Amino acid sequence: MRESFGTALVTGGGSGLGRATARHLAAQGCRVAVLDCDLAAAESVAKDIGGLGLGCDVSDTAAVGAAFAKVQAVFATAPRLVVNCAGIGTAGRILPRDGALPIAAFERTLRVNLLGSYIVLSHAAQAMAGLAPMADGARGLIVNTASVAYQDGQIGQAAYAASKGGVAALTLPAARELARFGIRVMTIAPGLFETPMTEALPEDARAAITAQIPFPARLGAPEDFALLVGQIALNPYLNGEVIRLDAAVRLAPR
């Protein structure tokens, strides 16, 4: 990891993609703040990597601001690399069979996945803008997490796809606006990945999911995501783009 990204902050760092990212960045020499709504999970990962674990609801502006202030106090600097992995996966039809209108579930999904990403991005931009520029004028990098569902949303994924579509759409205007501060903004859109949910599936169900993936014909590993975060950090010309990380999969309607 280039020396300029010596301090990093990862939301959703207590599990899954965020945990793998926190571990990867620490292995590359970063001091890492691990944020998660599950404080125990955040502290467990932080203990393993010699980082800082903090409990934080990313949809709470005050909580996110307090987390950034804590990072500043402990590490004596704002993070130059912020990775937004916090999010929730929801499934539900627009018109379920019981006739209900699950509007509250839609609102909560957008609040965590989209608004939460924006809140963290805003605080990150504010913190990074106060840092001294590096030799190439750069001050930092923000990496958000969308999903291939933003383009390939399946039946029952209206809320999730909309939330991740918002994250993807945010990427370019944010990158353009923050360019004057030397702050890059990128988004990764993962495909079918190993998650606690897929790990709990019967083997035949996992095989059916894997059969949709062209090559490599396997579910993505969280380490694949973490590796791409590191590669984005190392390549200063990547900015304002959404990268699908999906082994060429395209999701079917259901």
Side-chain angles (χ1 to χ4, degrees):
M1 187 63 53
R2 56 188 280 189
E3 183 181 354
S4 55
F5 292 106
T7 302
L9 181 151
V10 181
T11 73
S15 64
L17 304 180
R19 178 173 58 195
T21 299
R23 287 175 172 169
H24 178 75
L25 295 178
Q28 299 301 310
C30 287
R31 296 178 299 172
V32 183
V34 181
L35 273 61
D36 201 282
C37 62
D38 184 339
L39 174 59
E43 290 180 333
S44 176
V45 174
K47 182 179 180 180
D48 288 344
I49 64 175
L52 172 67
L54 298 171
C56 183
D57 175 358
V58 295
S59 67
D60 183 333
T61 302
V64 173
F68 271 85
K70 183 67 172 179
V71 172
Q72 175 73 44
V74 172
F75 291 151
T77 181
R80 287 196 186 271
L81 173 56
V82 170
V83 187
N84 254 321
C85 291
I88 56 174
T90 55
R93 291 175 179 255
I94 297 167
L95 292 177
R97 289 186 175 86
D98 64 4
L101 294 177
I103 294 171
F106 187 95
E107 182 179 23
R108 178 172 179 267
T109 305
L110 263 66
R111 182 167 186 81
V112 175
N113 293 355
L114 178 54
L115 180 60
S117 294
Y118 180 80
I119 290 172
V120 174
L121 180 145
S122 298
H123 280 278
Q126 183 181 59
M128 291 175 184
L131 293 170
M134 295 176 281
D136 59 358
R139 284 189 170 89
L141 165 65
I142 302 165
V143 180
N144 294 321
T145 303
S147 163
V148 296
Y150 94 94
Q151 292 180 317
D152 305 345
Q154 297 179 295
I155 292 171
Q157 285 189 318
Y160 184 70
S163 70
K164 294 303 188 178
V167 172
L170 173 66
T171 309
L172 183 58
R176 285 172 163 172
E177 178 181 345
L178 299 180
R180 68 189 180 97
F181 299 105
I183 299 170
R184 294 189 286 137
V185 180
M186 289 287 294
T187 294
I188 300 172
L192 300 170
F193 268 67
E194 291 276 5
T195 65
M197 183 181 69
T198 57
E199 289 170 0
L201 290 173
E203 190 55 40
D204 58 343
R206 286 174 57 89
I209 293 173
T210 304
Q212 303 178 49
I213 305 173
F215 186 81
R218 61 170 176 81
L219 294 172
E223 291 75 16
D224 296 325
F225 179 94
L227 181 61
L228 181 55
V229 170
Q231 291 165 338
I232 291 171
L234 288 170
N235 191 329
Y237 210 63
L238 282 171
N239 194 14
E241 186 57 87
V242 179
I243 300 176
R244 286 183 65 124
L245 185 63
D246 60 15
V249 76
R250 296 297 180 268
L251 304 183
R254 63 176 77 226

XYZ file of all heavy atoms in Angstrom, residues 1-7 28 30 134-136 138 184 230 232-237:
160
model
N 0.844 -1.191 0.000
C 0.000 0.000 0.000
C 0.881 1.243 0.000
O 1.829 1.320 0.780
C -0.886 -0.008 1.236
C -1.923 1.098 1.261
S -3.109 0.965 -0.083
C -3.674 -0.725 0.103
N 0.583 2.204 -0.880
C 1.406 3.400 -0.931
C 1.365 4.113 0.413
O 0.346 4.130 1.113
C 0.954 4.328 -2.062
C -0.512 4.726 -1.988
C -0.956 5.478 -3.223
N -0.541 6.864 -3.159
C -0.953 7.790 -4.050
N -1.727 7.446 -5.048
N -0.566 9.030 -3.948
N 2.445 4.719 0.776
C 2.590 5.315 2.099
C 1.530 6.366 2.363
O 1.115 6.577 3.499
C 3.990 5.924 2.222
C 4.282 6.503 3.585
C 5.666 7.099 3.642
O 6.412 6.950 2.665
O 5.994 7.696 4.682
N 1.037 7.033 1.326
C 0.086 8.123 1.489
C -1.234 7.652 2.078
O -1.998 8.445 2.609
C -0.164 8.810 0.146
O -0.569 7.869 -0.806
N -1.562 6.349 1.970
C -2.783 5.833 2.556
C -2.472 5.107 3.857
O -2.872 3.965 4.077
C -3.490 4.900 1.572
C -4.048 5.625 0.371
C -3.426 5.525 -0.864
C -5.168 6.414 0.485
C -3.930 6.202 -1.961
C -5.679 7.104 -0.604
C -5.058 7.000 -1.837
N -1.772 5.795 4.746
C -1.344 5.183 5.988
C -2.462 4.954 6.978
O -2.363 4.106 7.857
N -3.560 5.718 6.873
C -4.686 5.566 7.779
C -5.956 5.330 6.974
O -6.245 6.064 6.022
C -4.856 6.811 8.671
O -3.655 7.040 9.406
C -6.013 6.644 9.634
N -1.264 -4.454 4.487
C -0.481 -3.602 3.602
C 0.135 -2.414 4.331
O 0.710 -1.528 3.700
C -1.366 -3.107 2.444
C -1.925 -4.214 1.568
C -0.835 -5.055 0.945
O 0.109 -4.532 0.361
N -0.949 -6.371 1.084
N -1.525 -0.245 6.633
C -2.414 0.822 7.072
C -2.802 0.656 8.540
O -2.934 -0.465 9.039
C -3.709 0.830 6.243
S -3.532 1.445 4.562
N -0.650 15.630 -0.879
C 0.581 14.884 -1.126
C 1.285 15.452 -2.364
O 0.825 16.432 -2.949
C 0.238 13.405 -1.298
C -0.314 12.807 -0.009
S -0.853 11.092 -0.194
C -2.444 11.337 -0.973
N 2.369 14.833 -2.746
C 3.178 15.366 -3.839
C 2.393 15.519 -5.132
O 2.614 16.457 -5.900
C 4.401 14.465 -4.051
N 1.439 14.598 -5.377
C 0.668 14.670 -6.613
C -0.626 15.456 -6.447
O -1.477 15.466 -7.336
C 0.353 13.261 -7.125
C -0.452 12.429 -6.121
O -0.724 12.935 -5.008
O -0.808 11.281 -6.450
N -2.958 14.839 -4.279
C -4.030 14.001 -3.737
C -4.157 14.163 -2.231
O -3.163 14.316 -1.524
C -3.763 12.539 -4.073
N -10.431 11.393 -4.619
C -11.050 10.501 -5.603
C -12.242 9.770 -5.001
O -12.273 9.501 -3.801
C -10.033 9.465 -6.099
C -8.886 10.032 -6.900
C -8.058 8.921 -7.532
N -7.230 8.209 -6.570
C -7.069 6.901 -6.515
N -7.741 6.110 -7.352
N -6.274 6.337 -5.627
N -7.540 -2.397 -2.656
C -6.118 -2.092 -2.641
C -5.594 -1.657 -3.997
O -4.753 -0.751 -4.098
N -7.337 -0.203 -6.412
C -7.845 1.142 -6.686
C -6.989 2.181 -5.969
O -6.647 3.230 -6.527
C -9.317 1.262 -6.263
C -10.211 0.423 -7.177
C -9.775 2.722 -6.272
C -11.650 0.307 -6.704
N -6.632 1.886 -4.725
C -5.804 2.812 -3.959
C -4.451 3.041 -4.629
O -3.929 4.156 -4.626
C -5.604 2.277 -2.539
N -3.906 1.998 -5.224
C -2.590 2.098 -5.844
C -2.585 2.792 -7.199
O -1.553 3.273 -7.649
C -1.988 0.693 -5.998
C -1.525 0.026 -4.702
C -1.191 -1.437 -4.951
C -0.324 0.754 -4.117
N -3.731 2.829 -7.857
C -3.800 3.413 -9.210
C -4.424 4.801 -9.148
O -5.645 4.942 -9.066
C -4.626 2.509 -10.126
C -4.509 2.925 -11.589
O -4.338 4.103 -11.895
N -4.601 1.955 -12.483
N -3.622 5.860 -9.207
C -4.134 7.214 -9.002
C -5.015 7.739 -10.131
O -5.644 8.790 -9.977
C -2.850 8.052 -8.885
C -1.845 7.305 -9.694
C -2.162 5.855 -9.474
N -5.082 7.012 -11.251
C -5.876 7.506 -12.388
C -7.296 6.946 -12.387
O -8.101 7.304 -13.239
C -5.172 7.186 -13.705
C -5.473 8.196 -14.798
C -5.089 9.530 -14.657
C -6.141 7.830 -15.957
C -5.363 10.458 -15.649
C -6.427 8.754 -16.953
C -6.039 10.074 -16.791
O -6.321 10.993 -17.762
